[in-house]
Amino acid sequence: MTFTKATILYRGSLKSCNYRCGYCPFSKRRGSRREYDRDREQWLRFVDSLAPAGDDGEKREAVFAGDCVEGGGEDRERPGPPRPVGAVMVTPYGEALIHDWYWQGLGRLASGDSLDCVGAQTNLSFSVRESMEEYRRSGGRTGKLRLWATFHPEMISAEEFAMQCRRVREEGASICAGAVGVPENLEAIRRLRRELPEDIYLWVNKMDGLKRPYTDREIQAFQEIDPWFSRELMMVRADASQCRERLFVEAEGSLRRCNISPVTEGNWYEGQIFQEPPVCGRKRCSCYLAYGGRGDVMNQVLFGPYPVFRIPRRDRAVFLDIQGTLIPDGEKEIPAFARQDLELISSRLAEAGNPAFRGNVKLFFATTLPLREARRRCRDVWHLFSGGVFAGGGHVVLEEGPGQERREMFYPLDRRWVESLRREALGLRARVHVYEEKGDVYKLTLWRPGHLSWKEEEINALRRIWGEEGEGQIRLFAEGGCLQMVSSSASKAQGVRTLCGWMGIPPEEAAAYGDSREDREMMEMCGSRGFGEGDSVNNRLERSSAGYRS
């Protein structure tokens, strides 16, 4: 799990819509004036609780209780201070954006620096120009607006819906488009794909009321439209530990982990923000808002730090830590769900899918493991990666592909440090592991059985023994029972710089994911999103990490 701000899903008491879809209980239901006034008051009360400033000018920042994030050994995030909120998404029953109070509230939320983005699920049945004017009059920044737009072929043509999507884009907001995977609507959805700009992602949700499995031909057809449609068909086991950075707020303030969790855990307005350990109450995540809003790293690789908006990232390279990120702590292999996503994101398959995903994205490992151990742990997906940063930066590899020359470099250590470390290991109840290639040592590890952690005074004692000479040549960092030593020139961040330089791309066009202090610099260098001013990757890890680095 990577470190991002929290996402809030909000659902008011609104239960009306201006569309007449046969399957929907809210179709063409008009609310009473009293119901509308109640929904408006509830929504604006919620906005007031998050808005950047009250009438008294006092700045507010939304937070909820800190938590534990899975990490490696000692170098993991511990229960910490309150966690800031970075995104708000309205997920209504019926249609919310035909009411001006929702635009006013979204505009207020998007007027300050605290929130990174705001948005809503919508059928787009409103005047884009007039609604955006209302949003801007309330202070909303257009670049922060994200719309999840659902196509209803029985109510609007593909051409008209695509035009509405274009208007949203022309106003400077971001948008994704989608439809329920009704087999009878396949041709209309195909037509929408042709009408939409190529870089607007068109998703397909599985049809819950189909009452039969999709045929192989239907699955293939929908996957040609949406390369991630297979995610909708997978059984995703519920895991509340992946839901610590999101919450679902209802009209009166009741809190749940997500929109389908039956367990109420507190009230937003009474300061009762969740309990530990987290609870869920479901056996599986049965819709995108449930599985797509979790902290699983592949959700963020595909859709950024706030994946509930379903707007794809388009990075040219992706760097992934292994233990604690690709492989959850306590597990021995990459989960099946993540393996499928890695298959789909690989350049060969992405180019064959939805035009919104076309590009030459390359996958790389970024790990403190040596290459051989990384290959053993990730053997099922090894062929999808183009190399990586291994041994904490001591070994960098680029595999360009068939017929291309392999590029490789090491950051060697002076061999005298091997004997020095062996002498010190005797008094520290540790064993020395030497990693070398063609006579060059590129990493040393002091390992303690039983995952005994390394204390800061022990690491400082080693620094004092080696003095100024060692400080200029070696870098130490602790991971649980392992004390790692690499060249002072070696780090994950430097390895990422090297690989990006070989490929001719700036690091800002890459993404990096990890869960420890060792990952901090490369994540910031790659422009990790989802961190507001004053809450960078550096700050988040600095206040909670127990790793050490010389």
Side-chain angles (χ1 to χ4, degrees):
M1 182 184 291
T2 56
F3 302 90
T4 63
K5 296 182 185 179
T7 298
I8 297 178
L9 302 180
Y10 174 85
R11 177 171 291 159
S13 58
L14 184 74
K15 291 182 173 65
S16 59
C17 186
N18 57 334
Y19 271 8
R20 195 191 298 276
C21 302
Y23 63 86
C24 180
F26 313 111
S27 64
K28 207 62 177 180
R29 180 189 181 279
R30 289 186 59 83
S32 67
R33 173 46 54 190
R34 183 177 180 180
E35 289 173 329
Y36 288 152
D37 287 345
R38 180 168 173 255
D39 181 69
R40 180 180 183 277
E41 289 171 5
Q42 291 166 336
W43 165 240
L44 295 182
R45 181 191 183 195
F46 174 73
V47 170
D48 284 342
S49 73
L50 279 170
D55 293 335
D56 56 3
E58 180 183 354
K59 184 175 180 180
R60 301 185 181 119
E61 183 177 40
V63 297
F64 72 98
D67 49 58
C68 292
V69 173
E70 299 288 350
E74 281 291 295
D75 197 14
R76 71 175 66 191
E77 187 173 3
R78 290 186 171 86
R83 188 171 300 270
V85 174
V88 171
M89 181 179 186
V90 178
T91 59
Y93 287 135
E95 177 58 37
L97 295 192
I98 56 175
H99 303 293
D100 58 4
W101 60 86
Y102 277 99
W103 288 102
Q104 293 160 6
L106 290 171
R108 284 188 60 201
L109 291 174
S111 64
D113 296 327
S114 179
L115 294 180
D116 297 319
C117 49
V118 300
Q121 292 177 310
T122 177
N123 60 22
L124 288 187
S125 58
F126 49 82
S127 167
V128 173
R129 181 181 58 81
E130 292 176 6
S131 297
M132 290 299 297
E133 286 177 357
E134 189 73 47
Y135 173 80
R136 284 189 284 261
R137 275 196 298 270
S138 299
R141 304 180 190 179
T142 56
K144 290 191 173 188
L145 184 63
R146 313 276 190 270
L147 295 185
W148 158 315
T150 304
F151 174 50
H152 297 76
E154 60 270 54
M155 298 299 302
I156 188 172
S157 70
E159 292 77 12
E160 291 172 307
F161 187 82
M163 181 58 70
Q164 282 288 83
C165 292
R166 290 192 191 93
R167 289 175 180 137
V168 170
R169 283 275 296 274
E170 289 166 1
E171 291 285 342
S174 299
I175 190 170
C176 69
V180 177
V182 180
E184 290 76 16
N185 292 341
L186 179 58
E187 286 307 315
I189 300 172
R190 280 175 171 156
R191 187 161 64 252
L192 177 60
R193 177 64 274 169
R194 292 193 296 268
E195 293 292 329
L196 282 171
E198 283 198 346
D199 59 347
I200 290 182
Y201 171 45
L202 177 59
W203 46 263
V204 179
N205 278 353
K206 71 177 182 296
M207 181 180 173
D208 289 333
L210 189 59
K211 298 181 180 179
R212 64 168 175 82
Y214 283 104
T215 66
D216 290 343
R217 181 173 293 183
E218 288 166 348
I219 292 173
Q220 181 179 353
F222 283 127
Q223 198 150 343
E224 287 173 356
I225 296 168
D226 175 6
W228 312 122
F229 179 66
S230 56
R231 295 181 114 220
E232 286 282 291
L233 306 179
M234 286 194 73
M235 177 72 72
V236 183
R237 181 174 57 85
D239 180 0
S241 70
Q242 293 285 357
C243 302
R244 288 186 168 103
E245 293 185 322
R246 57 125 169 231
L247 60 162
F248 182 75
V249 181
E250 297 182 275
E252 297 295 342
S254 295
L255 291 173
R256 291 183 277 154
R257 290 285 165 177
C258 77
N259 58 306
I260 64 172
S261 173
V263 181
T264 300
E265 295 191 68
N267 188 283
W268 177 253
Y269 301 113
E270 296 173 8
Q272 302 166 347
I273 311 297
F274 288 160
Q275 60 188 16
E276 288 292 338
V279 294
C280 174
R282 296 293 293 246
K283 292 184 178 180
R284 59 185 294 261
C285 297
S286 56
C287 71
Y288 181 80
L289 286 181
Y291 75 77
R294 295 174 17 153
D296 305 75
V297 67
M298 291 310 299
N299 283 336
Q300 297 181 48
V301 170
L302 298 176
F303 298 104
Y306 306 114
V308 291
F309 292 110
R310 224 167 181 167
I311 296 173
R313 292 181 62 120
R314 294 178 178 86
D315 302 298
R316 297 179 65 183
V318 176
F319 296 86
L320 292 159
D321 177 39
I322 295 177
Q323 196 61 47
T325 302
L326 273 177
I327 302 177
D329 275 359
E331 303 290 335
K332 295 183 178 180
E333 60 183 15
I334 300 172
F337 199 59
R339 291 200 301 271
Q340 175 186 267
D341 287 341
L342 291 169
E343 288 275 359
L344 290 169
I345 204 174
S346 65
S347 58
R348 291 168 298 173
L349 298 179
E351 288 174 356
N354 191 305
F357 288 87
R358 283 182 181 160
N360 193 28
V361 60
K362 291 183 180 294
L363 296 171
F364 294 94
F365 297 106
T367 177
T368 57
L369 296 172
L371 185 146
R372 184 176 300 174
E373 179 63 16
R375 187 197 298 269
R376 186 185 68 81
R377 296 195 191 186
C378 301
R379 56 185 177 275
D380 291 342
V381 298
W382 188 262
H383 62 289
L384 302 175
F385 283 72
S386 300
V389 182
F390 303 97
H395 184 193
V396 182
V397 177
L398 174 62
E399 300 277 6
E400 293 281 14
Q404 300 292 318
E405 183 179 355
R406 170 188 170 114
R407 301 188 70 172
E408 183 175 29
M409 70 175 295
F410 295 90
Y411 287 90
L413 286 165
D414 194 315
R415 275 200 167 271
R416 61 181 160 163
W417 300 116
V418 177
E419 296 307 317
S420 176
L421 204 60
R422 281 178 173 152
R423 287 194 301 270
E424 299 303 327
L426 295 174
L428 294 170
R429 293 180 300 160
R431 300 175 185 173
V432 178
H433 291 268
V434 180
Y435 300 93
E436 58 185 314
E437 185 73 21
K438 298 177 181 178
D440 285 332
V441 176
Y442 60 90
K443 181 184 174 184
L444 296 170
T445 298
L446 270 178
W447 175 77
R448 280 175 168 168
H451 302 288
L452 294 174
S453 60
W454 288 88
K455 297 178 182 178
E456 186 173 10
E457 53 265 30
E458 293 175 317
I459 300 172
N460 288 335
L462 288 174
R463 292 195 185 106
R464 287 192 295 270
I465 291 170
W466 293 322
E468 293 182 3
E469 186 179 10
E471 187 173 339
Q473 294 189 33
I474 61 177
R475 185 170 73 88
L476 293 175
F477 58 96
E479 292 183 312
C482 294
L483 181 61
Q484 316 279 18
M485 177 191 292
V486 295
S487 165
S488 59
S489 300
S491 68
K492 288 187 180 182
Q494 181 56 41
V496 169
R497 287 190 195 95
T498 298
L499 285 167
C500 286
W502 287 348
M503 293 184 289
I505 65 173
E508 293 79 12
E509 294 184 13
Y513 298 89
D515 69 337
S516 76
R517 190 173 179 179
E518 273 297 290
D519 304 306
R520 178 182 65 190
E521 186 181 356
M522 74 166 182
M523 290 170 68
E524 289 193 327
M525 181 181 66
C526 291
S528 295
R529 300 157 177 86
F531 303 93
E533 185 177 353
D535 194 64
S536 65
V537 181
N538 182 73
N539 292 337
R540 291 290 305 285
L541 294 178
E542 189 67 48
R543 67 193 183 211
S544 58
S545 175
Y548 305 108
R549 177 177 177 181
S550 62

